[in-house]
Amino acid sequence: MAFFHRRSKREVQIDMARLPRHIAIIMDGNGRWAKRRGLPRKAGHAVGAETFRTVATFAKELGLDYLTVYAFSTENWKRPEDEISSIMALLEKYLHEAIETMAKDRVKMAFFGDLSLLDPKLQALCHETERISRTYDGCQVNICLNYGGRDELLRAAQAFAADCVEGRADPGHLTQAAFSNYLFSAGVPDPDLVIRPSGEVRISNFLLWQSAYSEYYFTDVLWPDFSKKELLRAIADYQGRSRRYGGV
Ligand code: FPP
């Protein structure tokens, strides 16, 4: 299928029969976007949150099965309090809106990360959106909140060790599939494509286990400027690659 864009008139071709099933995105560059405009960092996050809405809606329209976004990492607590509270307030606003629209869209929402450190009101809202959308069968949007790949792996190792102590699991018979079920992403297929905007070329503790065989796509575009067209470009690039999973 070819998508035309009114402004540029240039098309991006993607094959709808070979869509990635799961796309994960590191939403990076909000601060720099704001700085370039002489605005406070929180203005960048506000526009970044709008971009999230556009991209999540487009993911659903395209028919992707899963979209996972990195909204707040275990390391992001090091930021100024004022910036943290503006990100949390945006999340709260978007979750309230999602609750209103998700029944129509059949979008399922889930959270990866330790929510217990969040404000109790935000925790309750996360649990509420998960509960409401549990049976929905549309695109599943996973929001990584207080998420870190190493933290996730440690927690999984601890939970597995506890099951061994209780006699529910046996270290000698642990498989990769069984270990995956101890992760926040239990039941979700690994991402086919991981996108990082903003020109940074690193994975920053994102989906360390799950992205073992993911294709990466890096772009200089800052997250607030990311668009449907950028998503199509990433998908087109992905579709031009040959995935061999270590084979030939
Ligand atoms: C990274 O950019 C962005 C974040 C740490 C926050 C992402 C949060 C949002 C987009 C808003 C809320 C999310 C949802 C799902 C509604 P940065 O601040 O590190 O940018 P920089 O590298 O340019 O400083």
Side-chain angles (χ1 to χ4, degrees):
M1 179 177 282
F3 287 84
F4 289 88
H5 288 266
R6 252 171 271 128
R7 257 185 300 164
S8 70
K9 296 271 190 288
R10 264 193 303 135
E11 68 181 72
V12 180
Q13 294 271 2
I14 64 164
D15 179 352
M16 292 298 281
R18 290 191 306 118
L19 282 178
R21 203 173 163 211
H22 181 179
I23 293 183
I25 306 181
I26 301 177
M27 305 186 291
D28 195 15
N30 296 347
R32 276 163 285 167
W33 183 93
K35 194 171 174 206
R36 282 179 198 173
R37 288 162 178 78
L39 297 169
R41 295 177 58 83
K42 63 181 177 189
H45 295 313
V47 180
E50 278 302 319
T51 305
F52 161 73
R53 191 215 302 268
T54 305
V55 168
T57 307
F58 192 45
K60 175 194 65 109
E61 288 165 2
L62 277 177
L64 298 188
D65 288 340
Y66 299 91
L67 174 72
T68 301
V69 294
Y70 208 177
F72 196 85
S73 76
T74 43
E75 289 70 39
N76 286 152
W77 296 107
K78 293 182 218 151
R79 295 186 177 214
E81 217 171 289
D82 159 59
E83 182 174 345
I84 295 174
S85 38
S86 71
I87 294 175
M88 296 300 165
L90 284 166
L91 280 160
E92 197 176 323
K93 174 174 169 248
Y94 278 82
L95 292 185
H96 275 300
E97 288 178 15
I99 286 177
E100 282 169 28
T101 57
M102 67 201 325
K104 175 172 65 68
D105 295 340
R106 311 297 293 167
V107 165
K108 188 169 172 174
M109 296 204 46
F111 297 87
F112 294 174
D114 174 15
L115 302 186
S116 72
L117 290 189
L118 306 179
D119 179 87
K121 238 172 61 190
L122 184 55
Q123 277 182 55
L125 199 55
C126 293
H127 292 134
E128 180 69 354
T129 45
E130 270 183 334
R131 189 191 60 75
I132 294 175
S133 65
R134 190 156 290 147
T135 57
Y136 294 168
D137 51 6
C139 181
Q140 176 168 330
V141 177
N142 306 304
I143 299 186
C144 298
L145 251 185
N146 189 27
Y147 172 88
R150 286 186 172 185
D151 179 64
E152 178 181 41
L153 288 166
L154 264 189
R155 283 165 192 277
Q158 285 167 337
F160 174 68
D163 277 353
C164 290
V165 170
E166 296 291 323
R168 288 190 294 264
D170 170 6
H173 289 98
L174 181 63
T175 60
Q176 293 186 12
F179 190 70
S180 296
N181 284 327
Y182 286 91
L183 302 174
F184 292 122
S185 58
V188 173
D190 291 341
D192 302 293
L193 171 63
V194 178
I195 300 174
R196 181 162 195 161
S198 95
E200 307 291 357
V201 190
R202 53 177 172 261
I203 56 174
S204 299
N205 210 8
F206 188 47
L207 304 177
L208 296 182
W209 172 280
Q210 299 88 337
S211 64
Y213 284 101
S214 303
E215 295 296 324
Y216 275 86
Y217 178 83
F218 298 100
T219 167
D220 287 340
V221 172
L222 302 173
W223 177 249
D225 290 328
F226 199 87
S227 59
K228 294 182 191 179
K229 187 172 184 176
E230 294 301 332
L231 188 69
L232 291 172
R233 281 199 179 118
I235 294 173
D237 195 86
Y238 162 86
Q239 290 181 334
R241 300 188 194 178
S242 142
R243 298 183 81 188
R244 291 186 296 280
Y245 301 94
V248 285

